[in-house]
Amino acid sequence: MTRTTPKLAPPPQISTSYQREGVWPTPSEDLNSIDGFYVGIKMVRSQEPYTFKPVEFKNTLFQHFEIGNLNRYTEYSIVVQAYNSMGAGPPSEETVARTLEFDRPNPPIMRQYFATSKTLKLSWETNNHPNAPISGYILYHRTEGNHWQETHLTGDRTAYTLHDLQCGSAYSFYLVAFNSAGRGNGSEIISARTDGSHKCLEPILGANLGCMGGLLPDLLPELLQQFLSFASSMVKLEDDTITQYTMAFAQTPWLVEFTMAQ
């Protein structure tokens, strides 16, 4: 069968990338007559001719190309021509697209965290460059087996503290920076655990002492945990020494008030 030049190629659909990236549907006719495509690109209103780059034909529903090293925030005109051994077919309709003003941000670098029984403070370093400013961050966090939760932060932050967490629980975190070009890649996922044993005393104390309302300070569960930990570390001391520390703890004003109220 004699080969002829390919028919008109469909115009490319350009994505909004800081590079120029486009796709177009594979022609449904004359597939056997196509060896590849030429992609032509030039700046809009330029008197220079199109610069063509060959793109290998792929037996898929869509063809794809990517051209880098373009000017930021500049309009380009793009055409596509199918070709084979007999030559190139007619060009597609012109498609005009503008490169974005900025690149997407690089992923932040997670540095360290500080934990209490109810909070986790995270810190990070920016990893941006002049062509990729950071408008803000999205902090993703979750406990094992649960869905990711999002916290939106401004771009000037380099640390954040999460409050009202479960004591003695492990959390996973990662951070994503974004700007007008979109979201960058996420940072590495880090794991951190709040202070306290897995079975914290607070739920038990809260159930038993809930009738006291605002009489007890919110700090009571943490103080009891600290006291029990301290007392257990003194098992080698004389019994009367432990008793003295226990009596001193029991004679704190708010604890005496609680005992009398009972």
Side-chain angles (χ1 to χ4, degrees):
M1 183 172 61
T2 304
R3 301 186 82 186
T4 60
T5 56
K7 295 182 180 180
L8 181 68
Q13 300 297 316
I14 308 301
S15 69
T16 54
S17 171
Y18 68 93
Q19 295 177 314
R20 277 293 48 119
E21 185 175 356
V23 295
W24 62 93
T26 301
S28 58
E29 301 177 357
D30 298 332
L31 289 180
N32 294 329
S33 68
I34 298 176
D35 293 337
F37 297 90
Y38 290 123
V39 177
I41 185 168
K42 70 171 185 175
M43 284 190 289
V44 172
R45 292 180 293 276
S46 171
Q47 300 302 315
E48 297 294 325
Y50 283 98
T51 299
F52 285 90
K53 296 181 180 293
V55 176
E56 181 182 354
F57 173 74
K58 296 180 181 179
N59 191 19
T60 56
L61 291 177
F62 292 92
Q63 305 299 309
H64 172 273
F65 78 95
E66 183 174 299
I67 302 175
N69 299 319
L70 302 179
N71 296 330
R72 293 189 297 120
Y73 208 56
T74 303
E75 285 189 326
Y76 285 89
S77 171
I78 303 171
V79 295
V80 173
Q81 288 178 279
Y83 72 86
N84 59 21
S85 58
M86 301 299 296
S92 68
E93 296 178 10
E94 176 191 51
T95 294
V96 175
R98 183 191 296 271
T99 53
L100 297 179
E101 185 175 5
F102 300 116
D103 298 344
R104 291 187 292 269
N106 292 326
I109 303 172
M110 303 299 288
R111 283 304 181 195
Q112 59 185 358
Y113 69 89
F114 176 77
T116 69
S117 63
K118 296 295 259 180
T119 66
L120 282 168
K121 181 177 181 180
L122 306 168
S123 62
W124 60 88
E125 289 183 8
T126 59
N127 188 22
N128 62 327
H129 53 83
N131 291 340
I134 296 175
S135 301
Y137 297 98
I138 303 175
L139 176 63
Y140 293 85
H141 57 94
R142 71 174 181 182
T143 53
E144 184 176 355
N146 292 320
H147 296 294
W148 290 103
Q149 299 183 48
E150 298 182 10
T151 301
H152 289 252
L153 307 171
T154 56
D156 58 346
R157 301 292 295 262
T158 56
Y160 183 73
T161 302
L162 286 162
H163 296 272
D164 299 325
L165 304 179
Q166 301 174 20
C167 66
S169 299
Y171 286 83
S172 297
F173 304 89
Y174 72 94
L175 196 65
V176 173
F178 66 87
N179 60 18
S180 59
R183 298 184 182 185
N185 294 326
S187 69
E188 63 174 332
I189 298 177
I190 66 170
S191 296
R193 179 180 291 274
T194 51
D195 289 344
S197 63
H198 184 66
K199 296 181 179 180
C200 294
L201 294 177
E202 184 170 358
I204 301 174
L205 290 169
N208 293 337
L209 305 181
C211 60
M212 296 305 299
L215 182 61
L216 290 179
D218 293 336
L219 214 53
L220 174 58
E222 277 193 37
L223 290 174
L224 286 178
Q225 287 185 54
Q226 293 176 16
F227 171 75
L228 293 175
S229 175
F230 175 75
S232 64
S233 67
M234 299 177 60
V235 294
K236 294 184 179 181
L237 298 178
E238 298 295 333
D239 290 342
D240 57 345
T241 304
I242 299 178
T243 302
Q244 292 176 13
Y245 280 105
T246 306
M247 291 179 61
F249 181 84
Q251 290 174 2
T252 7
W254 50 264
L255 191 58
V256 171
E257 184 179 359
F258 165 71
T259 306
M260 294 177 63
Q262 294 292 307

